[in-house]
Amino acid sequence: MTAPALPSPGPVPRPGAIYFLGRVVLRPLFWLLYRPRIVGRGNVPAGGPVLLASNHLASLDTVIIPTSAARPVQFLIKSSYFTGSGMLGRCKRWFFTSIGGVPVYRATGRDARAALDAGSSILRAGSVFAVFPEGTRSRDGMLHEGHGGAAWMARDTGAAVVPVGLIGTGTAKPLSHLLPGRPRLEVHFGEPLDLTDLQDVPDGKARREITERMMVAIARLSGQERSGSHNATSRD
């Protein structure tokens, strides 16, 4: 059975005014710079918790998804953006806290579980949370196997799971769409996954099946070939 929604152990990270100001500025700017082709935006439910599960090709992904989605989107973000020293470190910490970012300190262990708990808290609050099931960006262009954290959050909260397929973010350059023959960057939002048949399935088996369904849907949307292995070629 899906775990009941329990009270979160700490404050839920929320996007601040800087996030909404940034969306107002960045949406038209990114349209001019990249002219993204957005498909299926209406597949993201207008209300309630939504978990976006996307492939990961470039740092640009963490900006292009929020500027393409109709609702505010929060992300897991590398801990180094929250722990820097000096004025620059304080500015980064303020900025990424203001946009509702959730720091990830390690790939495994108690800190990773804390990040997943924070993501679940965001979902329980009825918001949209985005994850990259591969864990890190793909440098070879292939879609690597997903880790179980996204499925754990989906199982834990009952959030709608919407697959996202990004195309061209790994090679996109500002204004490159103006060059003849250069393809446009694309963002494909798929239909929410139907997970109702997994309600009574044991948790471990259900999480593995949810992860596989995510990756199948992402591959279909992004057109990527699946590598059949986890991604060990990138640290960011």
Side-chain angles (χ1 to χ4, degrees), residues 84-174:
S85 59
M87 180 61 71
L88 180 60
R90 287 194 293 271
C91 288
K92 284 184 177 180
R93 186 161 53 251
W94 168 79
F95 175 78
F96 287 106
T97 299
S98 295
I99 63 174
V102 177
V104 182
Y105 291 92
R106 286 202 304 266
T108 60
R110 182 179 300 175
D111 291 324
R113 175 57 187 264
L116 294 179
D117 285 339
S120 288
S121 297
I122 291 170
L123 292 170
R124 291 193 193 102
S127 301
V128 181
F129 192 64
V131 293
F132 301 119
E134 293 171 277
T136 56
R137 58 180 169 140
S138 172
R139 293 188 184 276
D140 59 13
M142 300 183 73
L143 183 67
H144 298 273
E145 294 302 290
H147 295 277
W152 183 89
M153 284 188 284
R155 184 80 168 169
D156 184 50
T157 64
V161 179
V162 175
V164 180
L166 302 175
I167 300 174
T169 58
T171 56
K173 303 294 181 184

